[in-house]
Amino acid sequence: MLPSSTRPISSLPALPALLAGALAVALLPPAALAADPPPREAARAFAAIVDGSPLSGARVGILVSAVDTGEVIYARDPDVLLNPASNVKLVTSAAALDRLGPEYRFATEFLVEPKGGAARALYVRGKGDPSIVTERLWAMAGDLQHLGVKRIGELVVDEGFFDGERTGPGYDQEEGDRAYLAPAGALSLNFNAVAVHVGPGDRRGARGRVELEPASDYLEIENRTTTVRAGSPRRVIIESVARGGRQRIVVKGRVPLGSRTQPQWRRIEDPALYLGHTLARLLELRGVKVGKVRAGATPEGARLVLVAQSDPLGEIVRRLNKTSNNFVAEQLLKTLGAEVKGAPGTWPKGVQVVEEFLAEAGVPRGTYVMKNGSGLNDTNRFSARQLVTLLRAMYGRFPIQPEYLASLPVAGRDGTIRWRMEGTGAAGRLRAKTGTLENVTSLSGYVEDGAHRTLAFAVLVNDYPGRAAGVRRAVDALGAALAASGGPPAGLEAAVAQGKEPGPAAAVAVAATTDLARSAQPYYALARTGDPRNEPFLRGALRAETDPALRLAIAEAVYLSDPEGEAARRSFLDHVTPDARVLGRLWSAMGTEEPPPVVPSIAELAGEGVPEALAKLVELAPAAALDGALAARLAEALAGVAASAPDELVQALRAARASDADAAVGALGAGLARSDEREHPFPPALAALAGRQDELGAYARALGPRLEEARHAAEAVRAAPVLVPVPVPVGGTVVPASGR
């Protein structure tokens, strides 16, 4: 709940200092008097991380400099203009703090046209507050009721503080209704998104359970979900569509019997009506009768009766940067335009205010491209030097420096880097804003180095090869190296080692099956509680253990403790190795447990259409050769995913290595042969793909006969009188720590 401030308008000497300094220097330990290691040692470490990681094949802009003197510690293409992704929020939040002040509060005004003892109309006039949530709106409804309002003829929402353009530049490059694409609005609620809670029905074949939060007449539900067999992969597709002044939420898909209720958030199209209808419902719950809800302008003669104020801007900026909220960033940009250039606020006006601020900070106009406030999609271009210039300027502006620094996520502690750089010198000492888009990652901020100097840095990475995990690892290694620079050489050496691409791994001792089971069981027991408070402990164990199979178990426990958390999902997927022996060992140790390890979790994510999870599931398919029970589970998982995400599975098969794809097709054929669904949805979905006249269509046409062959082979095996399981080689052996 975000706190609210709502109230009725009626209640509204030289030598001694020199000697002291000399004494202080004399008392310093010898290590503190030693000269800092040459900057070139740190520079060599940074270069080694870049050259030994996926960053070497990407477009990279990096600059590290002392925040006070501007001394350059390391630079690599610092002037090339790159997509900074959400690092644009560093610019937006800095301009907002400077131009509006950290004490600025957003106001939402309530005005009435009185008529006897009732209000002929209640006008709600928004001023761009991005922090109104249902709890605050409930308090506002209470304040209105306590003022004596008993009946409202019309509830009119006034969003004239902004122009009518709700979708910012760059948002049109991505279709969809995800919450991070939420529109801007002078009157907004719940970040202009609605929570959709979806759970299973009470029996197989029944409709799933769908509930919305908050509920109001603005929202309509169309429930097309089906409850399927327990243990099947879940796939829920939610569409949010504007229709006739309302928002229709269409929910379809498959929900396993007995599975947990999960929330997802979807954008809404008309923020003012969303807030207006929700307010009407909340007023009615307090006994106030409300008539029609409509949009309109506040007339001159309306009387102000209530003002609801937000928290100070400094606190809102903190939430913006800690969570990287796109909606809040765009609200700030349009508010800048309205407050500085005059209402209505627009994106061009907001950008103009930011340009004026950046020019004062030392970043001239015409040297960068800024179109929106959040950094979404392929719209903005900045260089590493420009971001470092901004960071140094903000560090020197004492009136707003504390709020700006406090808004940045802290490595290993909070925000979007809470689980990054743990166990390194950067934890607790590096404050930085992340940025993530497809083939884009960035990290820019401040760090205290080993010599207790404050450094400003910017790392922008575009067009990297391979998956994002290796790039994140390298960027985190740069963060660790920044914190270690100026300190003992061992810190830099550890950072360089952290950033390297895993090659043929050194051998590590692994536990025998019974020992592995005993070690993994406590972690899975914690995971089954579903308590996210266990996550820090589990992540500590993940850092400490070396056995790949045990690390995989712990990573899955992290995911199961917080299945909706993006960081938890990423940790799990990062530890799913293509080495079949790792899963084989864990399966031998824990495969008789219910649910068994790894396969159901990876199938759940793959069933949601998560591309990396689909790729990992296909990579695991060769492990079916290790154990009959594991083969059956993989076949079942692939058949379930084929029902939930058929198009995405075909794309994953097409992108996989030939050997992995062959194994996955064989397992999928076996799964389809064993499926108890009389009309499995995958064959018609594959036929539809085969009708396309593109490369995916050609692949689908070739896949059909292969799949039928695998299915017939599986049916023949099932009809055979004897099945001989293949033993799994396990035990207290020494194996490589990673796969290929």
Side-chain angles (χ1 to χ4, degrees):
M1 174 175 175
L2 299 179
S4 167
S5 173
T6 60
R7 59 184 178 86
I9 201 68
S10 58
S11 68
L12 288 168
L15 182 58
L18 180 61
L19 292 173
L23 179 61
V25 172
L27 292 176
L28 285 173
L33 296 174
D36 294 333
R40 63 177 176 273
E41 293 185 11
R44 279 199 294 267
F46 301 147
I49 292 170
V50 173
D51 295 337
S53 72
L55 301 184
S56 62
R59 292 196 298 145
V60 178
I62 303 175
L63 183 66
V64 182
S65 69
V67 76
D68 50 358
T69 66
E71 174 194 3
V72 174
I73 310 300
Y74 178 72
R76 187 181 184 108
D77 290 334
D79 296 309
V80 63
L81 291 176
L82 296 169
N83 188 340
S86 282
N87 274 199
V88 170
K89 295 183 178 79
L90 288 170
V91 180
T92 305
S93 57
L97 286 171
D98 184 82
R99 291 307 196 246
L100 301 176
E103 70 287 346
Y104 176 88
R105 292 176 185 264
F106 293 88
T108 301
E109 300 170 346
F110 296 82
L111 306 95
V112 297
E113 280 187 307
K115 183 180 180 182
R120 191 188 72 78
L122 173 69
Y123 295 91
V124 186
R125 187 160 59 193
K127 296 294 183 69
D129 189 347
S131 65
I132 299 177
V133 293
T134 305
E135 295 88 342
R136 281 191 62 201
L137 198 62
W138 171 252
M140 296 176 202
D143 288 337
L144 289 166
Q145 186 250 331
H146 295 316
L147 286 172
V149 177
K150 300 298 182 185
R151 183 185 299 272
I152 297 170
E154 280 189 318
L155 196 159
V156 183
V157 287
D158 181 349
E159 52 181 344
F161 192 66
F162 289 173
D163 69 351
E165 188 64 46
R166 296 191 178 116
T167 303
Y171 281 63
D172 57 345
Q173 296 176 9
E174 182 173 353
E175 294 183 358
D177 51 14
R178 299 283 180 165
Y180 65 81
L181 296 170
L187 271 174
S188 295
L189 176 67
N190 295 328
F191 311 104
N192 288 341
V194 60
V196 186
H197 297 261
V198 183
D202 57 2
R203 67 186 186 281
R204 188 173 174 183
R207 290 284 186 204
R209 191 177 69 258
V210 178
E211 298 170 352
L212 303 181
E213 180 62 40
S216 79
D217 291 341
Y218 174 70
L219 301 167
E220 303 171 346
I221 298 175
E222 185 176 333
N223 183 357
R224 302 184 198 168
T225 60
T226 303
T227 303
V228 296
R229 182 174 55 82
S232 300
R234 171 192 175 100
R235 179 70 188 279
V236 173
I237 300 172
I238 301 174
E239 298 173 356
S240 179
V241 183
R243 187 171 299 176
R246 297 289 190 271
Q247 195 78 22
R248 174 164 291 188
I249 308 299
V250 182
V251 187
K252 51 191 175 182
R254 302 154 55 90
V255 188
L257 184 66
S259 62
R260 68 186 184 278
T261 297
Q262 297 183 35
Q264 296 185 46
W265 286 261
R266 288 295 181 270
R267 59 172 282 173
I268 53 85
E269 299 295 333
D270 194 321
L273 286 180
Y274 176 40
L275 181 144
H277 280 284
T278 307
L279 177 60
R281 172 70 63 91
L282 298 178
L283 284 167
E284 288 166 355
L285 290 174
R286 289 185 176 272
V288 180
K289 296 186 181 300
V290 182
K292 181 181 179 181
V293 177
R294 66 175 178 86
T298 304
E300 296 259 342
R303 178 166 59 87
L304 183 65
V305 295
L306 183 72
V307 174
Q309 290 185 305
S310 71
D311 283 341
L313 179 62
E315 179 60 26
I316 290 174
V317 164
R318 180 179 178 275
R319 296 178 195 137
L320 158 64
N321 284 331
K322 292 287 187 185
T323 64
S324 198
N325 190 297
N326 291 338
F327 163 75
V328 176
E330 305 301 351
Q331 292 285 109
L332 290 189
L333 191 64
K334 295 193 81 168
T335 299
L336 278 170
E339 291 285 16
V340 179
K341 299 297 180 182
T346 67
W347 269 282
K349 285 182 183 178
V351 170
Q352 185 180 355
V353 175
V354 173
E355 288 175 341
E356 292 168 357
F357 160 73
L358 284 177
E360 294 175 10
V363 183
R365 286 180 175 178
T367 62
Y368 56 88
V369 179
M370 181 174 176
K371 296 296 184 182
N372 63 36
S374 63
L376 192 67
N377 292 325
D378 194 18
T379 313
N380 306 285
R381 290 292 185 274
F382 283 89
S383 71
R385 190 184 304 279
Q386 289 166 342
L387 292 179
V388 168
T389 299
L390 168 68
L391 290 165
R392 292 187 59 225
M394 289 298 291
Y395 197 86
R397 298 193 178 198
F398 180 76
I400 56 177
Q401 182 222 60
E403 286 81 6
Y404 191 65
L405 266 66
S407 76
L408 301 182
V410 182
R413 298 290 188 270
D414 67 17
T416 54
I417 53 175
R418 180 183 180 187
W419 305 118
R420 292 176 60 175
M421 291 166 271
E422 297 175 282
T424 73
R429 293 168 50 209
L430 182 145
R431 292 176 175 267
K433 181 72 195 71
T434 54
T436 304
L437 291 169
E438 185 176 357
N439 283 351
V440 177
T441 192
S442 55
L443 188 73
S444 302
Y446 307 95
V447 64
E448 180 189 62
D449 73 1
H452 303 292
R453 297 177 301 176
T454 300
L455 307 178
F457 69 91
V459 179
L460 307 179
V461 184
N462 287 193
D463 303 324
Y464 54 79
R467 293 175 180 165
V471 177
R472 284 194 304 269
R473 182 180 59 250
V475 172
D476 288 355
L478 287 172
L482 286 167
S485 63
L492 286 174
E493 294 167 3
V496 172
Q498 174 190 341
K500 288 182 178 177
E501 276 283 271
V508 297
V510 299
T513 300
T514 54
D515 293 334
L516 177 59
R518 281 195 294 266
S519 297
Q521 281 168 348
Y523 299 121
Y524 277 118
L526 287 172
R528 281 192 289 271
T529 68
D531 189 342
R533 292 174 296 183
N534 291 323
E535 192 171 351
F537 168 76
L538 292 169
R539 287 182 177 275
L542 188 59
R543 292 195 302 273
E545 296 293 348
T546 58
D547 185 332
L550 184 55
R551 285 173 58 81
L552 177 57
I554 298 170
E556 185 181 18
V558 168
Y559 163 68
L560 294 172
S561 297
D562 186 18
E564 303 305 317
E566 181 59 33
R569 291 181 169 207
R570 188 166 60 236
S571 290
F572 173 48
L573 292 174
D574 286 351
H575 285 85
V576 177
T577 169
D579 187 343
R581 291 169 297 176
V582 174
L583 177 59
R585 289 183 55 244
L586 183 58
W587 189 271
S588 294
M590 305 291 294
T592 58
E593 300 284 331
E594 280 296 335
V598 180
V599 176
S601 293
I602 199 76
E604 181 176 60
L605 291 171
E608 293 178 10
V610 177
E612 188 171 358
L614 285 154
K616 295 280 188 177
L617 180 60
V618 173
E619 288 179 349
L620 289 177
L626 298 177
D627 180 87
L630 175 56
R633 282 286 188 167
L634 283 168
E636 180 185 36
L638 280 161
V641 172
S644 298
D647 293 6
E648 294 92 334
L649 178 59
V650 173
Q651 291 170 348
L653 289 169
R654 178 172 173 263
R657 293 186 309 183
S659 57
D660 293 343
D662 288 343
V665 170
L668 175 57
L672 293 176
R674 296 170 185 162
S675 175
D676 57 1
E677 292 193 59
R678 286 192 297 269
E679 300 293 335
H680 197 284
F682 185 69
L686 183 62
L689 282 176
R692 291 173 45 167
Q693 300 303 312
D694 56 14
E695 292 184 357
L696 186 61
Y699 182 83
R701 289 190 290 275
L703 178 60
R706 294 168 58 200
L707 188 60
E708 276 303 300
E709 182 181 350
R711 186 172 185 167
H712 291 319
E715 289 171 346
V717 169
R718 290 186 71 194
V722 179
L723 293 176
V724 181
V726 180
V728 185
V730 294
T733 57
V734 175
V735 301
S738 68
R740 2 177 219 172

